[in-house]
Amino acid sequence: MRKPVSFFFIVALLLSNAVLLSACGGQSSVAPEKKEDGKSFTIVTSFYPLYISAINVAKDVPGVKVVNMTEQTTGCLHDYQLVPEDLKTLSEAQVFIVNGAGMEAFMDKVVSQLPNLKIVEASKGIPLITGEGEEGDNPHVWVSISNDIQQVKNIGLQLAALDPDHAAQYSANTTAYAAKLEDLQARMHQSLDGVKNKDIITFHEAFPYFAQEFKLNIAAVIEREPGSEPSAAELAETIETVRQAKIKALFAEPQYPAKAAETIANETGAKLYILDPVVTGPMEPDAYIKIMEANLKTLEEALN
């Protein structure tokens, strides 16, 4: 026959369970589990080509997130004005990677409103090409493979200094991506150094550094500022340049309408090609390389 359970035993058991539950609850509130993103390190880039460089340099670095500030439709940041959403994005970042060389005309506003934000200037130390008249320095340094390699190295060095816990990984990623770019550079030089036709007409002032690297001569520029149609006199002058120099290749850009370039091609018989300055494209690590490989094929056809 089963013995009756003592009243005092039941009370003791209940009190014991209450103490255990209280202890568990107290431990949970005092020392909650840390989230995986508890030590996140957010990097914001000003526009597309810097984003591609940054995702390669920061590849697989724990806790690091790379965000591009501007929409792809922005293209180059000519006269770009910050919007409230941009400042919100930057306020949540630890680092802002910019091209520099005058590309980001809004930097005074960023510095004044977010004085603690660390700025990484990718074009640091790169010799700049001075524009005509009051144009200032040409900021399109990344279009040259050599300069893009230097920008990647600048980004790697500065991120390693700002996030020293992961300096070794930034360094390894920088070396690996720079090696890919150097291979691209060698292939492009092998193909383009011997071309006979060196004179080209470009759409806007995006290609002087590229032309400098591959010893091409930009005989004329269709639109000094993208989106600003050339005047009738400027159009006539370019048409005359094409005829006199017997230029066979005109280059428009995929980001902008090619109406003026088409007019010149129709008037001169020159063929119109597309050359991409890498300001829009897939948000993928190999995008810069793939776009430049497509440019290489275009140039091989146009200049040989």
Side-chain angles (χ1 to χ4, degrees), residues 202-207 251-257 273-277:
T202 61
F203 179 75
H204 88 288
E205 293 282 13
F207 288 93
F251 295 98
E253 297 172 21
Q255 294 84 11
Y256 304 104
Y273 298 90
I274 299 296
L275 206 58
D276 195 331

Side-chain angles (χ1 to χ4, degrees), residues 126 141-153 175-194 209-215 288-297 299-300:
I126 294 175
V141 294
W142 70 91
V143 187
S144 155
I145 314 289
S146 296
N147 289 342
D148 193 62
I149 292 169
Q150 185 59 54
Q151 286 196 300
V152 167
K153 291 179 178 179
T175 299
Y177 185 50
K180 290 183 179 181
L181 292 172
E182 286 161 0
D183 175 70
L184 169 69
Q185 180 187 42
R187 287 186 283 122
M188 292 188 75
H189 274 289
Q190 185 177 12
S191 180
L192 297 177
D193 285 353
Y209 293 98
F210 183 92
Q212 186 180 67
E213 177 162 2
F214 294 102
K215 295 181 173 56
Y288 180 93
I289 291 172
K290 288 179 179 178
I291 291 170
M292 279 297 178
E293 286 174 338
N295 283 342
L296 175 58
K297 289 181 180 178
L299 289 164
E300 286 173 338

Side-chain angles (χ1 to χ4, degrees), residues 42-52 54-55 65-93 95-100 103-111 113-114 117-119 279 283:
T42 301
I43 299 167
V44 173
T45 56
S46 61
F47 72 130
Y48 179 75
L50 299 173
Y51 175 80
I52 299 304
I55 60 174
K65 178 173 68 172
V66 181
V67 178
N68 194 44
M69 186 183 76
T70 51
E71 297 290 336
Q72 286 241 18
T73 51
T74 305
C76 282
L77 301 183
H78 300 288
D79 303 319
Y80 182 79
Q81 299 293 320
L82 289 176
V83 297
E85 188 63 28
D86 295 334
L87 289 170
K88 181 178 183 297
T89 298
L90 290 172
S91 71
E92 297 169 353
V95 176
F96 186 29
I97 299 177
V98 299
N99 181 75
M103 176 60 77
E104 294 88 356
F106 49 76
M107 285 307 297
D108 286 348
K109 187 173 183 179
V110 172
V111 172
Q113 296 202 23
L114 299 167
L117 181 62
K118 303 300 183 184
I119 309 297
V279 291
M283 308 295 271

Side-chain angles (χ1 to χ4, degrees), residues 237-281:
E237 183 180 347
T238 302
I239 288 170
E240 186 61 25
T241 298
V242 172
R243 285 174 174 163
Q244 287 188 357
K246 297 180 180 179
I247 294 169
K248 303 299 182 184
L250 307 176
F251 295 98
E253 297 172 21
Q255 294 84 11
Y256 304 104
K259 183 180 177 182
E262 289 168 355
T263 299
I264 296 167
N266 291 335
E267 289 292 325
T268 62
K271 190 170 180 180
L272 183 60
Y273 298 90
I274 299 296
L275 206 58
D276 195 331
V278 202
V279 291
T280 59

Side-chain angles (χ1 to χ4, degrees), residues 111-174:
V111 172
S112 65
Q113 296 202 23
L114 299 167
N116 295 324
L117 181 62
K118 303 300 183 184
I119 309 297
V120 168
E121 186 174 344
S123 64
K124 187 177 181 180
I126 294 175
L128 301 178
I129 295 173
T130 302
E132 296 181 5
E134 299 180 357
E135 289 178 9
D137 295 328
N138 189 310
H140 303 84
V141 294
W142 70 91
V143 187
S144 155
I145 314 289
S146 296
N147 289 342
D148 193 62
I149 292 169
Q150 185 59 54
Q151 286 196 300
V152 167
K153 291 179 178 179
N154 284 342
I155 291 169
L157 282 171
Q158 293 180 70
L159 287 181
L162 293 170
D163 185 18
D165 289 347
H166 302 112
Q169 194 158 357
Y170 289 123
S171 178
N173 287 343
T174 299

